[in-house]
């Protein structure tokens, strides 16, 4: 992934939409009893992240919104690990899913670093 993608909020939104599609396929394989609890939590978490990414694009002060996205991404990782612990997904599915989430985390990290440097440059002037 190129450095310019790390600073592009639209790339993060696209990545999260890809994660939503991947998650939909993965969640379809969960047992029926979990579709209304763990599946719903995972879907809601992804929707909150996408909503926060959109909010990030519209705000002037972006750092707090990026921190909210970071918190939600970590919560999503926890839910995915919980699904593996309950044996709802295989180790291969876990690795693929976490790979997608980690890539979104790297994009988010690039955005955080960019806006922290931008803020430091503005306050240093």
């Amino acid at each position: 992934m190129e450095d310019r993608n790390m600073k592009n909020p639209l790339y993060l939104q696209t990545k999260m939409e890809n994660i939503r599609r991947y998650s939909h396929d993965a969640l379809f394989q969960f047992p029926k009893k979990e579709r209304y609890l763990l599946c719903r939590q995972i879907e809601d978490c992804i929707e909150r992240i996408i909503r926060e990414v959109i909010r990030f694009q519209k705000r002037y002060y972006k750092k707090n919104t990026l921190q909210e996205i970071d918190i939600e991404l970590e919560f999503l990782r926890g839910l995915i690990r919980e699904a593996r612990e309950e044996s709802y997904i295989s180790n291969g599915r876990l690795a693929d899913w976490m790979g997608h989430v980690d890539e979104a985390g790297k994009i988010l990290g690039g955005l955080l670093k960019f806006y922290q440097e931008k803020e430091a440059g503005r306050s240093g002037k």
Side-chain angles (χ1 to χ4, degrees):
M1 182 176 346
E2 295 179 8
D3 186 46
R4 63 185 161 89
N5 288 335
M6 293 293 191
K7 299 174 192 164
N8 187 350
L10 290 176
Y11 191 71
L12 180 59
Q13 182 176 354
T14 302
K15 185 64 188 170
M16 288 310 304
E17 289 166 356
N18 291 340
I19 290 172
R20 181 190 327 165
R21 282 190 289 282
Y22 184 87
S23 299
H24 180 74
D25 293 339
L27 296 176
F28 188 71
Q29 298 174 358
F30 278 41
K32 192 171 187 175
K33 67 178 183 153
E34 284 300 327
R35 290 202 182 142
Y36 298 104
L37 184 60
L38 187 56
C39 290
R40 185 79 250 154
Q41 286 178 316
I42 291 171
E43 289 173 343
D44 288 347
C45 186
I46 293 169
E47 293 301 318
R48 281 192 306 271
I49 293 169
I50 292 172
R51 190 173 297 117
E52 288 295 326
V53 170
I54 293 168
R55 186 171 287 129
F56 163 76
Q57 293 172 11
K58 301 294 182 183
R59 284 209 170 140
Y60 181 73
Y61 297 105
K62 298 178 182 292
K63 190 175 172 187
N64 291 342
T65 309
L66 287 172
Q67 291 169 341
E68 291 297 320
I69 296 169
D70 194 27
I71 291 166
E72 290 296 330
L73 268 178
E74 195 57 42
F75 184 64
L76 178 60
R77 285 184 182 103
L79 292 172
I80 295 169
R81 281 191 299 270
E82 181 181 340
R84 176 59 200 124
E85 289 169 9
E86 296 294 328
S87 300
Y88 299 145
I89 58 175
S90 67
N91 285 334
R93 175 74 77 169
L94 173 69
D96 288 345
W97 208 348
M98 283 297 202
H100 291 297
V101 174
D102 288 345
E103 190 175 330
K106 289 175 185 177
I107 297 165
L108 179 63
L111 286 167
L112 272 167
K113 184 177 177 181
F114 174 76
Y115 283 102
Q116 285 173 346
E117 289 172 358
K118 187 175 178 180
E119 186 176 297
R122 192 174 359 176
S123 63
K125 289 185 177 179

